[in-house]
Amino acid sequence: MNEKVDVLIIGSGASGAAVAWSLADTKMRILCLEQGDWVKPTDYPSNGRDWEARLFSDFAINPNRRARETDYPINDANSPIKVVNFNGVGGSTIMYTAHYPRLHPSDFKVKTLDGVADDWPIDYETLEPFFAENDRMTGVSGLAGDPAYPAKQPPMPPIPLGKSGQRFGTAMNQLGWHWWPSDTSIATVDYEGRGRCLNLGHCTPGCAQGAKASTDITYWPMALRAGVELRTRARVREITVDNNGMATGVIYYDAEGKEQFQAAEMVIIACNGVGTPRLMLNSQSGKFPNGVANSSGLVGKNLMFHPYAFTYGYVDEPLDGNHGPPLCLWSHEFYETDKARDFVRGYIFQFGRGMGSIVEAISSTAAGRLPWGEDHHKVYRSLLNHRIYLAGICEDLPEEHNRVTLDPVLKDSDGIPAPKIDYTVGENSRKMLDHAHTRAEEILKQAGAHTVFREHVPNSGWHLLGTARMGTDPERSVVNEWGRCHDVKNLFIVDGSIWVTSGGVNPTSTIQALALYIADAIKQRLANATLFE
Amino acid sequence: MQTTLTETEARDLRALVGQMIPASATYKVPGADDDLIFADILKGLERDTDDARTALKQLATLSGGPFADLPADRRAEVAASFKTEGGAPLFALNRVVLLCYYRDDRVMHSLGQEPRSPFPKGHVVEQGDWSLLDPVKKRAPIYRKVP
Ligand SMILES: Cc1cc2nc3c(=O)[nH]c(=O)nc-3n(C[C@H](O)[C@H](O)[C@H](O)COP(=O)(O)OP(=O)(O)OC[C@H]3O[C@@H](n4cnc5c(N)ncnc54)[C@H](O)[C@@H]3O)c2cc1C
């Protein structure tokens, strides 16, 4: 029998780690259950000669391909965008590329400004101190003074421009368009015990140097030192509730596959925009026959990705290839709504360097550029290290038919129903994608690319948002303005599920700032004994 | 499910990968059918073994028997139509070939790359000319003010 805890957090990724660390100073008994394992830095692919190959096996970004015991399958057949993630301590930050922009002030007021979707019940100003705290905890590199944002001060200098960055910068200046070194969660100097970036160039499937801020090396060591317990190989099947509709704890499967009950005074879900609705929909009871805290019927609905306008080209001069963090610059030139366009909202561009030798070969084979036979070698040499790319991260508007449900057949290794994704790219997003591709082609040509290509990248469901949205109206939202479920007063959600709209930037900086903000709200209400009112 | 290829499948595969990436005297590189590389390919099939077998079956059908037994000019012809008709199973197989070929020391040397893991040595990336940012610094804020 497990002893009851005060706070039970499910999921140890970007948001779970941040909320655990922030709540640790309350001295409550805090436990986090995580279905995956710790990943040792020595296990990361960049330690070995097969570093690129492992992107297609045990470090594949798509869990269906990776298929570790700790992964759960996802039925993504009815979605052109496939969900990618990582399940382990650090969650998907183990696998993220560390591009770390914040949402803009306008993102919180979409309805007011553009008449679409809904406004958030909170704003940028409210989150600002938590953004700053998260930047410090995470260790963000960047450059102050970006005209695309209200003032902010990244604690470390930006990552180098390199050959590709200078090319892009020059091109953007010629076009008169905004660009700036990206905020990245990569240490460019030694930082809080983390070694600085060595330009391994293979950031996505884990950083062997520890320069990339996955939460297993940022928040978790501090949270553990402060007394938080983290139990791995603990896969939660359902959240249990009593007759009063209060959460009592969870049922989970341990490393041996044995069913366990863990009682808790309060439960915080941090399983990401797919894992969270899956867990909630699996938590059915007499009180909540359609899933816990789902009286609105919105759990799982309004799934937002960021349709990804990947565009690339080849230049004559060899550039950086895969050396250095791949994402080095951003442009917010097309971020805010422009009434002259045929869509609302907008996107950032993230500028990339190049590809590793294997990924270049595979991608060029897929595109039909790389022949078999005698010519293979000649053509390949004209491609390798000659590629530059950029991608528009397009704002996806919430649409209820884009959703996560439970698959009637597919189950994980513990027999828990797996999520099913139904998603189509909306009309607004389609127009935005086209705009982003067209602008990207102009940029590439200006940067000297002699040939340019647009590509649909199926495995681009890395941003998982909106499936348990925040709001003040219990009929139109799942959690309130400080992350507490309307229906269950001791159940909280802190991950990307609570997003009202998606913005057009990579979300993790804002996800973590939100988790810190919700932790702070919890602490304030604990102090004045109003937490469960 | 058989986890390794039969002898006939392996022979066909070797003949096929020799068509995909032949040795080149110009670039001083072995072909993908080189002993070491081919052994790596066989080992690397792992989770793609089923796809590889499906692809090889289709290749044998197109060849009207073992692909490896065809005369050279006929092999080239069959390989060309297989390339367009092979679909997802062939793509999975081709990926394994590339994964193994482009980590071979001799191939990497020929490409001017160091045959090593990225960690711990890392790479050098030039800082670049930060004065390029000067015109952007002069811009007024471009983010939208909210009411
Ligand atoms: C390849 C890739 C590249 C990316 N690049 C970027 C980038 O450059 N910038 C950016 O901002 N974002 C990026 N992201 C997205 C980023 O990783 C996520 O936004 C972020 O990690 C989400 O945080 P989270 O807390 O919501 O969930 P996660 O970090 O995904 O954590 C969820 C955790 O919950 C656990 N869990 C789920 N269900 C259960 C259960 N039932 N029981 C127990 N545990 C459970 C999971 O195992 C996981 O560890 C990328 C993601 C990927 C996969």
mmCIF file of all heavy atoms in Angstrom, chain A residues 10-16 33-36 61 72 84-88 90-93 95-99 204 234-236 270-272 327 462-463 495-496 506-508 511, ligand 1:
data_model
loop_
_atom_site.group_PDB
_atom_site.id
_atom_site.type_symbol
_atom_site.label_atom_id
_atom_site.label_comp_id
_atom_site.label_asym_id
_atom_site.label_seq_id
_atom_site.Cartn_x
_atom_site.Cartn_y
_atom_site.Cartn_z
ATOM 1 N N ILE A 10 1.577 13.808 -12.576
ATOM 2 C CA ILE A 10 1.694 12.729 -13.559
ATOM 3 C C ILE A 10 2.427 13.278 -14.778
ATOM 4 O O ILE A 10 1.922 14.186 -15.454
ATOM 5 C CB ILE A 10 0.313 12.187 -13.973
ATOM 6 C CG1 ILE A 10 -0.535 11.893 -12.731
ATOM 7 C CG2 ILE A 10 0.471 10.930 -14.832
ATOM 8 C CD1 ILE A 10 -2.021 11.725 -13.044
ATOM 9 N N GLY A 11 3.604 12.744 -15.038
ATOM 10 C CA GLY A 11 4.418 13.198 -16.173
ATOM 11 C C GLY A 11 5.556 14.087 -15.700
ATOM 12 O O GLY A 11 5.345 15.022 -14.926
ATOM 13 N N SER A 12 6.765 13.777 -16.181
ATOM 14 C CA SER A 12 7.949 14.496 -15.681
ATOM 15 C C SER A 12 8.610 15.342 -16.763
ATOM 16 O O SER A 12 9.798 15.600 -16.710
ATOM 17 C CB SER A 12 8.959 13.480 -15.159
ATOM 18 O OG SER A 12 9.466 12.735 -16.257
ATOM 19 N N GLY A 13 7.840 15.741 -17.775
ATOM 20 C CA GLY A 13 8.416 16.481 -18.900
ATOM 21 C C GLY A 13 8.603 17.956 -18.611
ATOM 22 O O GLY A 13 8.901 18.362 -17.476
ATOM 23 N N ALA A 14 8.415 18.765 -19.647
ATOM 24 C CA ALA A 14 8.663 20.204 -19.536
ATOM 25 C C ALA A 14 7.842 20.813 -18.393
ATOM 26 O O ALA A 14 8.380 21.520 -17.524
ATOM 27 C CB ALA A 14 8.287 20.877 -20.856
ATOM 28 N N SER A 15 6.554 20.549 -18.379
ATOM 29 C CA SER A 15 5.683 21.201 -17.400
ATOM 30 C C SER A 15 5.695 20.491 -16.054
ATOM 31 O O SER A 15 5.693 21.140 -15.001
ATOM 32 C CB SER A 15 4.252 21.257 -17.949
ATOM 33 O OG SER A 15 3.775 19.948 -18.225
ATOM 34 N N GLY A 16 5.745 19.151 -16.063
ATOM 35 C CA GLY A 16 5.735 18.403 -14.801
ATOM 36 C C GLY A 16 6.950 18.744 -13.954
ATOM 37 O O GLY A 16 6.843 18.896 -12.726
ATOM 38 N N LEU A 33 4.812 10.636 -10.903
ATOM 39 C CA LEU A 33 4.801 9.323 -11.557
ATOM 40 C C LEU A 33 5.107 9.513 -13.035
ATOM 41 O O LEU A 33 4.459 10.333 -13.700
ATOM 42 C CB LEU A 33 3.432 8.647 -11.400
ATOM 43 C CG LEU A 33 2.976 8.344 -9.971
ATOM 44 C CD1 LEU A 33 1.596 7.679 -9.988
ATOM 45 C CD2 LEU A 33 3.970 7.454 -9.228
ATOM 46 N N GLU A 34 6.082 8.778 -13.509
ATOM 47 C CA GLU A 34 6.509 8.913 -14.903
ATOM 48 C C GLU A 34 6.580 7.514 -15.521
ATOM 49 O O GLU A 34 7.207 6.619 -14.961
ATOM 50 C CB GLU A 34 7.875 9.611 -14.957
ATOM 51 C CG GLU A 34 8.626 9.503 -16.266
ATOM 52 C CD GLU A 34 7.849 10.030 -17.477
ATOM 53 O OE1 GLU A 34 7.386 11.168 -17.434
ATOM 54 O OE2 GLU A 34 7.707 9.251 -18.461
ATOM 55 N N GLN A 35 5.984 7.368 -16.699
ATOM 56 C CA GLN A 35 5.957 6.024 -17.294
ATOM 57 C C GLN A 35 7.309 5.573 -17.845
ATOM 58 O O GLN A 35 7.573 4.380 -17.966
ATOM 59 C CB GLN A 35 4.921 5.960 -18.405
ATOM 60 C CG GLN A 35 5.233 6.822 -19.619
ATOM 61 C CD GLN A 35 4.094 6.865 -20.615
ATOM 62 O OE1 GLN A 35 3.268 5.978 -20.652
ATOM 63 N NE2 GLN A 35 4.036 7.924 -21.398
ATOM 64 N N GLY A 36 8.167 6.535 -18.158
ATOM 65 C CA GLY A 36 9.452 6.183 -18.781
ATOM 66 C C GLY A 36 10.588 6.090 -17.780
ATOM 67 O O GLY A 36 10.384 6.071 -16.565
ATOM 68 N N ILE A 61 11.840 9.975 -33.434
ATOM 69 C CA ILE A 61 10.967 10.947 -32.760
ATOM 70 C C ILE A 61 9.518 10.475 -32.727
ATOM 71 O O ILE A 61 8.748 10.888 -31.884
ATOM 72 C CB ILE A 61 11.077 12.362 -33.382
ATOM 73 C CG1 ILE A 61 10.660 12.377 -34.848
ATOM 74 C CG2 ILE A 61 12.488 12.890 -33.233
ATOM 75 C CD1 ILE A 61 10.640 13.782 -35.456
ATOM 76 N N TYR A 72 3.841 4.607 -25.633
ATOM 77 C CA TYR A 72 2.506 4.095 -25.922
ATOM 78 C C TYR A 72 2.218 4.346 -27.395
ATOM 79 O O TYR A 72 2.680 5.345 -27.963
ATOM 80 C CB TYR A 72 1.441 4.735 -25.013
ATOM 81 C CG TYR A 72 1.372 6.253 -25.030
ATOM 82 C CD1 TYR A 72 0.554 6.924 -25.937
ATOM 83 C CD2 TYR A 72 2.122 7.021 -24.145
ATOM 84 C CE1 TYR A 72 0.477 8.317 -25.952
ATOM 85 C CE2 TYR A 72 2.054 8.411 -24.147
ATOM 86 C CZ TYR A 72 1.231 9.052 -25.047
ATOM 87 O OH TYR A 72 1.168 10.426 -25.060
ATOM 88 N N VAL A 84 4.771 13.354 -32.484
ATOM 89 C CA VAL A 84 6.111 12.934 -32.066
ATOM 90 C C VAL A 84 6.314 13.361 -30.616
ATOM 91 O O VAL A 84 5.748 14.360 -30.169
ATOM 92 C CB VAL A 84 7.215 13.503 -32.989
ATOM 93 C CG1 VAL A 84 7.041 12.976 -34.406
ATOM 94 C CG2 VAL A 84 7.227 15.021 -33.009
ATOM 95 N N ASN A 85 7.102 12.606 -29.872
ATOM 96 C CA ASN A 85 7.238 12.881 -28.439
ATOM 97 C C ASN A 85 8.398 12.071 -27.879
ATOM 98 O O ASN A 85 9.069 11.346 -28.605
ATOM 99 C CB ASN A 85 5.939 12.513 -27.703
ATOM 100 C CG ASN A 85 5.663 11.015 -27.707
ATOM 101 O OD1 ASN A 85 6.519 10.197 -28.057
ATOM 102 N ND2 ASN A 85 4.460 10.622 -27.330
ATOM 103 N N PHE A 86 8.624 12.197 -26.573
ATOM 104 C CA PHE A 86 9.489 11.239 -25.886
ATOM 105 C C PHE A 86 8.885 10.964 -24.521
ATOM 106 O O PHE A 86 8.383 11.880 -23.873
ATOM 107 C CB PHE A 86 10.928 11.758 -25.730
ATOM 108 C CG PHE A 86 11.855 10.667 -25.278
ATOM 109 C CD1 PHE A 86 12.337 9.726 -26.163
ATOM 110 C CD2 PHE A 86 12.212 10.563 -23.936
ATOM 111 C CE1 PHE A 86 13.168 8.691 -25.743
ATOM 112 C CE2 PHE A 86 13.049 9.524 -23.507
ATOM 113 C CZ PHE A 86 13.530 8.592 -24.418
ATOM 114 N N ASN A 87 8.941 9.717 -24.110
ATOM 115 C CA ASN A 87 8.379 9.320 -22.824
ATOM 116 C C ASN A 87 9.498 8.867 -21.905
ATOM 117 O O ASN A 87 10.078 7.790 -22.097
ATOM 118 C CB ASN A 87 7.366 8.187 -23.035
ATOM 119 C CG ASN A 87 6.218 8.640 -23.924
ATOM 120 O OD1 ASN A 87 5.517 9.598 -23.599
ATOM 121 N ND2 ASN A 87 6.035 7.979 -25.061
ATOM 122 N N GLY A 88 9.811 9.688 -20.940
ATOM 123 C CA GLY A 88 10.890 9.379 -20.005
ATOM 124 C C GLY A 88 11.080 10.594 -19.118
ATOM 125 O O GLY A 88 10.374 11.600 -19.282
ATOM 126 N N GLY A 90 12.075 13.948 -18.158
ATOM 127 C CA GLY A 90 12.377 15.053 -19.078
ATOM 128 C C GLY A 90 11.340 15.133 -20.193
ATOM 129 O O GLY A 90 11.255 16.137 -20.904
ATOM 130 N N GLY A 91 10.579 14.060 -20.360
ATOM 131 C CA GLY A 91 9.517 14.060 -21.377
ATOM 132 C C GLY A 91 10.067 14.419 -22.744
ATOM 133 O O GLY A 91 11.206 14.066 -23.104
ATOM 134 N N SER A 92 9.299 15.159 -23.498
ATOM 135 C CA SER A 92 9.695 15.469 -24.871
ATOM 136 C C SER A 92 10.849 16.474 -24.927
ATOM 137 O O SER A 92 11.399 16.703 -26.010
ATOM 138 C CB SER A 92 8.493 15.977 -25.667
ATOM 139 O OG SER A 92 7.454 15.025 -25.604
ATOM 140 N N THR A 93 11.244 17.039 -23.777
ATOM 141 C CA THR A 93 12.423 17.929 -23.836
ATOM 142 C C THR A 93 13.701 17.111 -24.086
ATOM 143 O O THR A 93 14.719 17.672 -24.490
ATOM 144 C CB THR A 93 12.607 18.785 -22.559
ATOM 145 O OG1 THR A 93 12.881 17.946 -21.430
ATOM 146 C CG2 THR A 93 11.382 19.641 -22.288
ATOM 147 N N MET A 95 13.935 15.217 -26.448
ATOM 148 C CA MET A 95 13.954 15.141 -27.915
ATOM 149 C C MET A 95 13.734 16.488 -28.588
ATOM 150 O O MET A 95 13.625 16.540 -29.803
ATOM 151 C CB MET A 95 12.800 14.245 -28.365
ATOM 152 C CG MET A 95 13.071 12.799 -28.236
ATOM 153 S SD MET A 95 13.493 12.227 -29.858
ATOM 154 C CE MET A 95 14.217 10.675 -29.543
ATOM 155 N N TYR A 96 13.553 17.541 -27.800
ATOM 156 C CA TYR A 96 13.226 18.783 -28.509
ATOM 157 C C TYR A 96 14.483 19.427 -29.089
ATOM 158 O O TYR A 96 15.613 19.049 -28.764
ATOM 159 C CB TYR A 96 12.396 19.743 -27.667
ATOM 160 C CG TYR A 96 13.061 20.537 -26.556
ATOM 161 C CD1 TYR A 96 12.435 21.686 -26.054
ATOM 162 C CD2 TYR A 96 14.269 20.186 -25.979
ATOM 163 C CE1 TYR A 96 12.982 22.447 -25.037
ATOM 164 C CE2 TYR A 96 14.827 20.942 -24.952
ATOM 165 C CZ TYR A 96 14.172 22.064 -24.491
ATOM 166 O OH TYR A 96 14.715 22.804 -23.482
ATOM 167 N N THR A 97 14.253 20.400 -29.975
ATOM 168 C CA THR A 97 15.389 20.998 -30.663
ATOM 169 C C THR A 97 15.798 22.308 -29.989
ATOM 170 O O THR A 97 16.670 23.011 -30.469
ATOM 171 C CB THR A 97 15.049 21.152 -32.154
ATOM 172 O OG1 THR A 97 14.513 19.909 -32.601
ATOM 173 C CG2 THR A 97 16.263 21.452 -33.005
ATOM 174 N N ALA A 98 15.124 22.631 -28.885
ATOM 175 C CA ALA A 98 15.554 23.715 -28.004
ATOM 176 C C ALA A 98 15.385 25.109 -28.605
ATOM 177 O O ALA A 98 16.065 26.048 -28.199
ATOM 178 C CB ALA A 98 16.989 23.494 -27.542
ATOM 179 N N HIS A 99 14.508 25.237 -29.577
ATOM 180 C CA HIS A 99 14.174 26.568 -30.088
ATOM 181 C C HIS A 99 13.149 27.117 -29.127
ATOM 182 O O HIS A 99 12.127 26.478 -28.879
ATOM 183 C CB HIS A 99 13.601 26.443 -31.509
ATOM 184 C CG HIS A 99 13.680 27.694 -32.298
ATOM 185 N ND1 HIS A 99 12.571 28.354 -32.758
ATOM 186 C CD2 HIS A 99 14.753 28.411 -32.707
ATOM 187 C CE1 HIS A 99 12.956 29.416 -33.437
ATOM 188 N NE2 HIS A 99 14.275 29.473 -33.433
ATOM 189 N N THR A 204 18.541 17.264 -31.382
ATOM 190 C CA THR A 204 17.201 16.716 -31.204
ATOM 191 C C THR A 204 17.177 15.415 -30.393
ATOM 192 O O THR A 204 16.506 15.360 -29.372
ATOM 193 C CB THR A 204 16.502 16.569 -32.575
ATOM 194 O OG1 THR A 204 16.456 17.861 -33.178
ATOM 195 C CG2 THR A 204 15.088 16.028 -32.432
ATOM 196 N N ALA A 234 6.149 4.091 -13.979
ATOM 197 C CA ALA A 234 4.849 4.122 -13.312
ATOM 198 C C ALA A 234 3.864 4.730 -14.303
ATOM 199 O O ALA A 234 3.839 5.949 -14.500
ATOM 200 C CB ALA A 234 4.930 4.964 -12.046
ATOM 201 N N ARG A 235 3.111 3.869 -14.968
ATOM 202 C CA ARG A 235 2.214 4.338 -16.028
ATOM 203 C C ARG A 235 0.792 4.444 -15.484
ATOM 204 O O ARG A 235 0.185 3.439 -15.115
ATOM 205 C CB ARG A 235 2.271 3.388 -17.211
ATOM 206 C CG ARG A 235 1.369 3.812 -18.341
ATOM 207 C CD ARG A 235 1.473 2.841 -19.480
ATOM 208 N NE ARG A 235 2.540 3.207 -20.388
ATOM 209 C CZ ARG A 235 3.212 2.327 -21.131
ATOM 210 N NH1 ARG A 235 2.947 1.055 -21.024
ATOM 211 N NH2 ARG A 235 4.144 2.746 -21.964
ATOM 212 N N VAL A 236 0.289 5.667 -15.439
ATOM 213 C CA VAL A 236 -1.026 5.901 -14.835
ATOM 214 C C VAL A 236 -2.127 5.507 -15.809
ATOM 215 O O VAL A 236 -2.133 5.941 -16.964
ATOM 216 C CB VAL A 236 -1.168 7.380 -14.420
ATOM 217 C CG1 VAL A 236 -2.557 7.629 -13.825
ATOM 218 C CG2 VAL A 236 -0.087 7.750 -13.410
ATOM 219 N N ALA A 270 0.387 16.361 -16.241
ATOM 220 C CA ALA A 270 1.415 17.012 -17.075
ATOM 221 C C ALA A 270 1.881 16.023 -18.138
ATOM 222 O O ALA A 270 3.072 15.756 -18.273
ATOM 223 C CB ALA A 270 2.581 17.451 -16.191
ATOM 224 N N CYS A 271 0.934 15.452 -18.857
ATOM 225 C CA CYS A 271 1.252 14.342 -19.780
ATOM 226 C C CYS A 271 1.310 14.782 -21.236
ATOM 227 O O CYS A 271 1.433 13.936 -22.115
ATOM 228 C CB CYS A 271 0.217 13.244 -19.627
ATOM 229 S SG CYS A 271 0.228 12.487 -18.009
ATOM 230 N N ASN A 272 1.180 16.014 -21.526
ATOM 231 C CA ASN A 272 1.187 16.681 -22.834
ATOM 232 C C ASN A 272 -0.162 16.624 -23.546
ATOM 233 O O ASN A 272 -1.076 15.931 -23.098
ATOM 234 C CB ASN A 272 2.382 16.311 -23.722
ATOM 235 C CG ASN A 272 2.271 15.010 -24.494
ATOM 236 O OD1 ASN A 272 1.183 14.610 -24.914
ATOM 237 N ND2 ASN A 272 3.398 14.372 -24.694
ATOM 238 N N LEU A 327 18.884 25.059 -35.181
ATOM 239 C CA LEU A 327 18.022 26.241 -35.297
ATOM 240 C C LEU A 327 18.713 27.427 -34.653
ATOM 241 O O LEU A 327 18.937 27.447 -33.443
ATOM 242 C CB LEU A 327 16.666 25.972 -34.627
ATOM 243 C CG LEU A 327 15.924 24.762 -35.195
ATOM 244 C CD1 LEU A 327 14.653 24.481 -34.417
ATOM 245 C CD2 LEU A 327 15.605 24.962 -36.673
ATOM 246 N N TRP A 462 5.063 17.935 -33.206
ATOM 247 C CA TRP A 462 5.849 18.055 -31.971
ATOM 248 C C TRP A 462 5.213 19.016 -30.978
ATOM 249 O O TRP A 462 5.577 19.038 -29.824
ATOM 250 C CB TRP A 462 7.290 18.487 -32.260
ATOM 251 C CG TRP A 462 7.465 19.276 -33.528
ATOM 252 C CD1 TRP A 462 6.892 20.460 -33.850
ATOM 253 C CD2 TRP A 462 8.256 18.892 -34.661
ATOM 254 N NE1 TRP A 462 7.287 20.844 -35.102
ATOM 255 C CE2 TRP A 462 8.129 19.920 -35.613
ATOM 256 C CE3 TRP A 462 9.084 17.795 -34.926
ATOM 257 C CZ2 TRP A 462 8.782 19.864 -36.849
ATOM 258 C CZ3 TRP A 462 9.735 17.754 -36.142
ATOM 259 C CH2 TRP A 462 9.576 18.772 -37.100
ATOM 260 N N HIS A 463 4.299 19.849 -31.442
ATOM 261 C CA HIS A 463 3.662 20.813 -30.543
ATOM 262 C C HIS A 463 2.215 20.380 -30.339
ATOM 263 O O HIS A 463 1.413 20.433 -31.273
ATOM 264 C CB HIS A 463 3.750 22.228 -31.133
ATOM 265 C CG HIS A 463 5.168 22.630 -31.456
ATOM 266 N ND1 HIS A 463 5.490 23.567 -32.409
ATOM 267 C CD2 HIS A 463 6.349 22.198 -30.951
ATOM 268 C CE1 HIS A 463 6.800 23.700 -32.469
ATOM 269 N NE2 HIS A 463 7.353 22.878 -31.593
ATOM 270 N N ASP A 495 0.119 21.206 -18.638
ATOM 271 C CA ASP A 495 0.867 21.055 -19.896
ATOM 272 C C ASP A 495 0.197 21.823 -21.041
ATOM 273 O O ASP A 495 -0.738 22.599 -20.824
ATOM 274 C CB ASP A 495 1.021 19.565 -20.242
ATOM 275 C CG ASP A 495 -0.324 18.875 -20.350
ATOM 276 O OD1 ASP A 495 -1.134 19.267 -21.214
ATOM 277 O OD2 ASP A 495 -0.591 17.940 -19.551
ATOM 278 N N GLY A 496 0.637 21.557 -22.246
ATOM 279 C CA GLY A 496 0.144 22.290 -23.417
ATOM 280 C C GLY A 496 -1.336 22.086 -23.716
ATOM 281 O O GLY A 496 -1.908 22.826 -24.523
ATOM 282 N N ASN A 506 7.213 27.916 -31.351
ATOM 283 C CA ASN A 506 7.437 26.694 -30.577
ATOM 284 C C ASN A 506 6.985 26.976 -29.136
ATOM 285 O O ASN A 506 7.260 28.037 -28.593
ATOM 286 C CB ASN A 506 8.911 26.311 -30.569
ATOM 287 C CG ASN A 506 9.596 26.575 -31.884
ATOM 288 O OD1 ASN A 506 9.647 27.704 -32.343
ATOM 289 N ND2 ASN A 506 10.105 25.551 -32.506
ATOM 290 N N PRO A 507 6.321 26.022 -28.500
ATOM 291 C CA PRO A 507 5.573 26.386 -27.299
ATOM 292 C C PRO A 507 6.249 26.191 -25.941
ATOM 293 O O PRO A 507 5.708 26.612 -24.915
ATOM 294 C CB PRO A 507 4.380 25.420 -27.378
ATOM 295 C CG PRO A 507 4.963 24.193 -27.991
ATOM 296 C CD PRO A 507 6.011 24.669 -28.960
ATOM 297 N N THR A 508 7.392 25.527 -25.878
ATOM 298 C CA THR A 508 7.832 25.011 -24.571
ATOM 299 C C THR A 508 8.161 26.100 -23.555
ATOM 300 O O THR A 508 7.867 25.947 -22.361
ATOM 301 C CB THR A 508 9.013 24.037 -24.757
ATOM 302 O OG1 THR A 508 8.620 23.079 -25.750
ATOM 303 C CG2 THR A 508 9.331 23.295 -23.484
ATOM 304 N N ILE A 511 4.819 26.967 -22.232
ATOM 305 C CA ILE A 511 4.265 25.858 -21.436
ATOM 306 C C ILE A 511 4.881 25.881 -20.034
ATOM 307 O O ILE A 511 4.196 25.752 -19.018
ATOM 308 C CB ILE A 511 4.553 24.494 -22.115
ATOM 309 C CG1 ILE A 511 3.667 24.316 -23.350
ATOM 310 C CG2 ILE A 511 4.354 23.324 -21.144
ATOM 311 C CD1 ILE A 511 3.933 23.035 -24.160
HETATM 312 C C1 LIG C 1 11.410 16.048 -31.980
HETATM 313 C C2 LIG C 1 10.853 17.174 -31.169
HETATM 314 C C3 LIG C 1 11.353 18.457 -31.356
HETATM 315 C C4 LIG C 1 10.819 19.515 -30.616
HETATM 316 N N1 LIG C 1 11.379 20.759 -30.737
HETATM 317 C C5 LIG C 1 10.914 21.769 -29.989
HETATM 318 C C6 LIG C 1 11.539 23.046 -30.026
HETATM 319 O O1 LIG C 1 12.552 23.256 -30.716
HETATM 320 N N2 LIG C 1 10.989 24.030 -29.268
HETATM 321 C C7 LIG C 1 9.900 23.824 -28.479
HETATM 322 O O2 LIG C 1 9.436 24.761 -27.833
HETATM 323 N N3 LIG C 1 9.314 22.620 -28.410
HETATM 324 C C8 LIG C 1 9.798 21.595 -29.123
HETATM 325 N N4 LIG C 1 9.230 20.357 -29.014
HETATM 326 C C9 LIG C 1 8.043 20.203 -28.156
HETATM 327 C C10 LIG C 1 8.381 20.090 -26.682
HETATM 328 O O3 LIG C 1 9.184 18.975 -26.446
HETATM 329 C C11 LIG C 1 7.076 20.019 -25.919
HETATM 330 O O4 LIG C 1 6.365 21.224 -26.164
HETATM 331 C C12 LIG C 1 7.203 19.900 -24.419
HETATM 332 O O5 LIG C 1 8.101 18.905 -24.015
HETATM 333 C C13 LIG C 1 5.816 19.600 -23.868
HETATM 334 O O6 LIG C 1 5.859 19.577 -22.482
HETATM 335 P P1 LIG C 1 4.763 18.804 -21.646
HETATM 336 O O7 LIG C 1 5.102 18.963 -20.234
HETATM 337 O O8 LIG C 1 3.435 19.278 -22.116
HETATM 338 O O9 LIG C 1 4.886 17.268 -22.080
HETATM 339 P P2 LIG C 1 6.105 16.303 -22.258
HETATM 340 O O10 LIG C 1 7.395 17.036 -22.148
HETATM 341 O O11 LIG C 1 5.859 15.524 -23.489
HETATM 342 O O12 LIG C 1 6.016 15.337 -20.996
HETATM 343 C C14 LIG C 1 4.958 14.458 -20.796
HETATM 344 C C15 LIG C 1 5.439 13.319 -19.895
HETATM 345 O O13 LIG C 1 4.308 12.639 -19.383
HETATM 346 C C16 LIG C 1 4.562 11.253 -19.340
HETATM 347 N N5 LIG C 1 3.283 10.545 -19.370
HETATM 348 C C17 LIG C 1 2.315 10.633 -20.316
HETATM 349 N N6 LIG C 1 1.271 9.845 -20.000
HETATM 350 C C18 LIG C 1 1.584 9.251 -18.841
HETATM 351 C C19 LIG C 1 0.898 8.332 -17.999
HETATM 352 N N7 LIG C 1 -0.328 7.883 -18.314
HETATM 353 N N8 LIG C 1 1.516 7.918 -16.869
HETATM 354 C C20 LIG C 1 2.750 8.370 -16.533
HETATM 355 N N9 LIG C 1 3.442 9.238 -17.290
HETATM 356 C C21 LIG C 1 2.866 9.678 -18.427
HETATM 357 C C22 LIG C 1 5.387 11.018 -20.595
HETATM 358 O O14 LIG C 1 6.111 9.816 -20.470
HETATM 359 C C23 LIG C 1 6.253 12.274 -20.639
HETATM 360 O O15 LIG C 1 7.482 12.061 -19.984
HETATM 361 C C24 LIG C 1 9.764 19.275 -29.693
HETATM 362 C C25 LIG C 1 9.293 17.983 -29.494
HETATM 363 C C26 LIG C 1 9.836 16.930 -30.196
HETATM 364 C C27 LIG C 1 9.327 15.537 -29.946
#
